[in-house]
Amino acid sequence: MILLPAIDLYEKKVVRLTRGDYSQMTVYNDDPVAQAAQFQEAGAQWLHTVDLEGAKDGSTPNYSVIEAICKETDLKVEIGGGIRSLDTIRKYLDAGVERVILGTKAVTDPAFLEESLDKFGRHIAVGVDIKDGKIAIKGWLETAQDSVEDFFTKLCKLGVSTVICTDVSKDGMLAGTNVDLYRQLSRKFALDLIASGGVSSKEDLVRLKELGLYGAILGKALYTGALDLKTALKEMEG
């Protein structure tokens, strides 16, 4: 199971939200590139990034930060948040991003998702954010009509290979991850599933690895010291 330390960006700073609430934001580092370098030094190979401003309005205000991380580190970077056009996908891939995560647009515009997969293949992942049993979109501010199971079925039919699944209720709470959710999804769907939200202990990681998950994203637990990245990487990826 791969581990992906996370950098959420707002006004070019490293921040974390609690349960996706923009009014509950903590700034952890003013220098995202330095933070990414620290993760690489600890042994990380992947980096999960989200443009929180872009997630709201579909813009790319933190693009220069992502470009700098790709240029100045050897990390494989995945980026989500406000990616709603083929030009934006191409822009990020040209900057050196390994994987682009489609969220809102993948839910609301299946034709766009299909075209993105056709043009960019394995470089496209889908972010499925679940809030109160429904799919959350537009920076977790709205919910979609499709049920979670129906949407996952559509993704499989379209040929999506990688899904980052976040339980919004767990995100930033350091209260454990939703193992039951990932167990159900991993049993039903043949996808590279990445767990996100609430991963806060070695026990969480062990349980996710036992499910055979492809990956897990580590966020607030790294910034508060609840998890040590170097140790977690050795135990989970070794």
Side-chain angles (χ1 to χ4, degrees):
M1 184 173 75
I2 65 168
L3 300 183
L4 301 91
I7 289 180
D8 289 0
L9 295 164
Y10 194 90
E11 296 180 347
K12 296 181 172 61
K13 297 177 182 179
V14 180
V15 306
R16 299 301 297 174
L17 305 182
T18 299
R19 289 181 175 174
D21 186 345
Y22 284 72
S23 69
Q24 296 187 58
M25 182 184 297
T26 303
V27 177
Y28 282 103
N29 198 325
D30 291 335
D31 189 343
V33 179
Q35 183 65 68
Q38 287 178 30
F39 288 151
Q40 179 175 302
E41 190 176 342
Q45 297 184 44
W46 279 90
L47 180 69
H48 174 82
T49 62
V50 179
D51 187 330
L52 291 173
E53 290 162 283
K56 279 186 173 183
D57 58 21
S59 61
T60 58
N62 293 284
Y63 169 79
S64 62
V65 176
I66 299 299
E67 186 179 38
I69 289 172
C70 290
K71 184 177 180 180
E72 297 180 35
T73 75
D74 296 321
L75 293 163
K76 298 175 186 176
V77 177
E78 63 177 27
I79 172 71
I83 299 166
R84 299 171 196 172
S85 74
L86 295 175
D87 285 344
T88 302
I89 294 172
R90 192 174 289 108
K91 181 179 176 181
Y92 276 124
L93 294 178
D94 286 347
V97 167
E98 176 66 24
R99 195 155 57 205
V100 172
I101 305 164
L102 304 182
T104 295
K105 189 74 170 175
V107 179
T108 60
D109 191 348
F112 172 74
L113 174 58
E114 191 168 4
E115 188 175 6
S116 300
L117 289 165
D118 183 56
K119 289 184 179 296
F120 304 111
R122 65 178 180 81
H123 296 291
I124 299 297
V126 174
V128 182
D129 301 335
I130 299 173
K131 187 176 185 179
D132 301 324
K134 298 180 179 179
I135 297 170
I137 57 174
K138 297 183 180 178
W140 299 346
L141 302 176
E142 299 177 22
T143 55
Q145 292 184 333
D146 271 347
S147 72
V148 173
E149 188 164 335
D150 286 348
F151 186 58
F152 269 81
T153 300
K154 288 180 181 179
L155 295 182
C156 289
K157 287 181 179 177
L158 285 173
V160 172
S161 59
T162 305
V163 172
I164 294 92
C165 184
T166 303
D167 181 347
V168 176
S169 69
K170 299 287 187 180
D171 191 67
M173 296 301 292
L174 295 178
T177 193
N178 193 338
V179 175
D180 288 340
L181 170 67
Y182 300 122
R183 180 182 294 110
Q184 292 170 23
L185 293 174
S186 63
R187 284 177 177 173
K188 287 182 180 178
F189 303 103
L191 292 160
D192 286 342
L193 191 63
I194 299 176
S196 173
V199 179
S200 56
S201 67
K202 178 184 175 181
E203 288 71 29
D204 285 335
L205 292 173
V206 169
R207 292 171 76 189
L208 292 173
K209 187 174 183 179
E210 287 173 348
L211 296 179
L213 260 59
Y214 166 66
I217 291 169
L218 305 180
K220 198 169 189 177
L222 295 180
Y223 295 101
T224 62
L227 274 173
D228 177 71
L229 181 58
K230 190 172 185 178
T231 302
L233 285 164
K234 285 182 179 179
E235 293 176 344
M236 292 300 115
E237 294 187 351

